[in-house]
mmCIF file of all heavy atoms in Angstrom:
data_model
loop_
_atom_site.group_PDB
_atom_site.id
_atom_site.type_symbol
_atom_site.label_atom_id
_atom_site.label_comp_id
_atom_site.label_asym_id
_atom_site.label_seq_id
_atom_site.Cartn_x
_atom_site.Cartn_y
_atom_site.Cartn_z
ATOM 1 N N LEU D 8 87.754 81.145 106.501
ATOM 2 C CA LEU D 8 88.929 81.955 106.837
ATOM 3 C C LEU D 8 90.201 81.272 106.355
ATOM 4 O O LEU D 8 91.104 81.906 105.811
ATOM 5 C CB LEU D 8 88.976 82.185 108.341
ATOM 6 C CG LEU D 8 90.076 83.120 108.853
ATOM 7 C CD1 LEU D 8 89.874 84.525 108.298
ATOM 8 C CD2 LEU D 8 90.066 83.151 110.375
ATOM 9 N N ALA D 9 90.272 79.959 106.548
ATOM 10 C CA ALA D 9 91.453 79.214 106.116
ATOM 11 C C ALA D 9 91.619 79.276 104.596
ATOM 12 O O ALA D 9 92.732 79.403 104.091
ATOM 13 C CB ALA D 9 91.352 77.755 106.575
ATOM 14 N N ARG D 10 90.494 79.231 103.857
ATOM 15 C CA ARG D 10 90.579 79.308 102.397
ATOM 16 C C ARG D 10 91.121 80.667 101.952
ATOM 17 O O ARG D 10 92.007 80.750 101.113
ATOM 18 C CB ARG D 10 89.196 79.055 101.774
ATOM 19 C CG ARG D 10 88.757 77.606 101.801
ATOM 20 C CD ARG D 10 87.565 77.389 100.885
ATOM 21 N NE ARG D 10 86.373 78.112 101.348
ATOM 22 C CZ ARG D 10 85.486 77.618 102.212
ATOM 23 N NH1 ARG D 10 85.652 76.407 102.715
ATOM 24 N NH2 ARG D 10 84.430 78.329 102.559
ATOM 25 N N SER D 11 90.578 81.745 102.533
ATOM 26 C CA SER D 11 91.033 83.087 102.160
ATOM 27 C C SER D 11 92.481 83.309 102.574
ATOM 28 O O SER D 11 93.291 83.826 101.813
ATOM 29 C CB SER D 11 90.142 84.152 102.812
ATOM 30 O OG SER D 11 88.817 84.043 102.361
ATOM 31 N N ALA D 12 92.796 82.891 103.802
ATOM 32 C CA ALA D 12 94.173 83.045 104.285
ATOM 33 C C ALA D 12 95.129 82.191 103.473
ATOM 34 O O ALA D 12 96.274 82.578 103.238
ATOM 35 C CB ALA D 12 94.250 82.664 105.760
ATOM 36 N N GLY D 13 94.659 81.022 103.025
ATOM 37 C CA GLY D 13 95.512 80.152 102.219
ATOM 38 C C GLY D 13 95.864 80.786 100.888
ATOM 39 O O GLY D 13 97.002 80.713 100.431
ATOM 40 N N LEU D 14 94.892 81.432 100.246
ATOM 41 C CA LEU D 14 95.151 82.099 98.980
ATOM 42 C C LEU D 14 96.100 83.264 99.168
ATOM 43 O O LEU D 14 97.052 83.460 98.401
ATOM 44 C CB LEU D 14 93.825 82.593 98.380
ATOM 45 C CG LEU D 14 93.871 83.158 96.962
ATOM 46 C CD1 LEU D 14 94.418 82.111 96.000
ATOM 47 C CD2 LEU D 14 92.497 83.630 96.531
ATOM 48 N N PHE D 15 95.850 84.065 100.205
ATOM 49 C CA PHE D 15 96.744 85.181 100.525
ATOM 50 C C PHE D 15 98.133 84.654 100.860
ATOM 51 O O PHE D 15 99.149 85.202 100.436
ATOM 52 C CB PHE D 15 96.162 85.967 101.711
ATOM 53 C CG PHE D 15 96.812 87.300 101.940
ATOM 54 C CD1 PHE D 15 96.241 88.455 101.454
ATOM 55 C CD2 PHE D 15 97.991 87.396 102.663
ATOM 56 C CE1 PHE D 15 96.828 89.694 101.674
ATOM 57 C CE2 PHE D 15 98.602 88.617 102.892
ATOM 58 C CZ PHE D 15 98.009 89.770 102.392
ATOM 59 N N GLY D 16 98.162 83.566 101.642
ATOM 60 C CA GLY D 16 99.444 83.012 102.065
ATOM 61 C C GLY D 16 100.249 82.451 100.912
ATOM 62 O O GLY D 16 101.482 82.510 100.924
ATOM 63 N N LEU D 17 99.567 81.887 99.903
ATOM 64 C CA LEU D 17 100.270 81.337 98.753
ATOM 65 C C LEU D 17 101.034 82.435 98.014
ATOM 66 O O LEU D 17 102.215 82.283 97.673
ATOM 67 C CB LEU D 17 99.269 80.666 97.811
ATOM 68 C CG LEU D 17 99.846 79.908 96.613
ATOM 69 C CD1 LEU D 17 100.697 78.735 97.077
ATOM 70 C CD2 LEU D 17 98.724 79.427 95.702
ATOM 71 N N ALA D 18 100.351 83.571 97.786
ATOM 72 C CA ALA D 18 101.017 84.685 97.125
ATOM 73 C C ALA D 18 102.091 85.292 98.025
ATOM 74 O O ALA D 18 103.172 85.663 97.561
ATOM 75 C CB ALA D 18 99.991 85.752 96.747
ATOM 76 N N THR D 19 101.771 85.389 99.316
ATOM 77 C CA THR D 19 102.742 85.950 100.245
ATOM 78 C C THR D 19 103.984 85.079 100.325
ATOM 79 O O THR D 19 105.101 85.579 100.454
ATOM 80 C CB THR D 19 102.121 86.102 101.648
ATOM 81 O OG1 THR D 19 100.950 86.907 101.554
ATOM 82 C CG2 THR D 19 103.093 86.757 102.609
ATOM 83 N N MET D 20 103.787 83.756 100.239
ATOM 84 C CA MET D 20 104.930 82.849 100.266
ATOM 85 C C MET D 20 105.876 83.148 99.098
ATOM 86 O O MET D 20 107.097 83.225 99.277
ATOM 87 C CB MET D 20 104.474 81.397 100.209
ATOM 88 C CG MET D 20 105.625 80.407 100.261
ATOM 89 S SD MET D 20 105.064 78.690 100.197
ATOM 90 C CE MET D 20 104.202 78.560 101.764
ATOM 91 N N ALA D 21 105.299 83.336 97.914
ATOM 92 C CA ALA D 21 106.134 83.663 96.753
ATOM 93 C C ALA D 21 106.887 84.967 96.980
ATOM 94 O O ALA D 21 108.087 85.082 96.685
ATOM 95 C CB ALA D 21 105.267 83.768 95.505
ATOM 96 N N SER D 22 106.177 85.960 97.539
ATOM 97 C CA SER D 22 106.807 87.253 97.803
ATOM 98 C C SER D 22 107.911 87.127 98.846
ATOM 99 O O SER D 22 108.997 87.698 98.692
ATOM 100 C CB SER D 22 105.752 88.257 98.261
ATOM 101 O OG SER D 22 106.347 89.497 98.578
ATOM 102 N N ARG D 23 107.631 86.371 99.929
ATOM 103 C CA ARG D 23 108.624 86.245 100.996
ATOM 104 C C ARG D 23 109.832 85.431 100.551
ATOM 105 O O ARG D 23 110.962 85.694 100.971
ATOM 106 C CB ARG D 23 107.986 85.606 102.226
ATOM 107 C CG ARG D 23 106.830 86.406 102.813
ATOM 108 C CD ARG D 23 107.291 87.688 103.464
ATOM 109 N NE ARG D 23 106.164 88.484 103.930
ATOM 110 C CZ ARG D 23 106.258 89.560 104.679
ATOM 111 N NH1 ARG D 23 107.435 90.006 105.036
ATOM 112 N NH2 ARG D 23 105.178 90.229 105.054
#
Side-chain angles (χ1 to χ4, degrees):
L8 185 63
R10 285 194 295 272
S11 298
L14 188 58
F15 193 98
L17 186 63
T19 303
M20 181 180 293
S22 177
R23 299 290 176 171

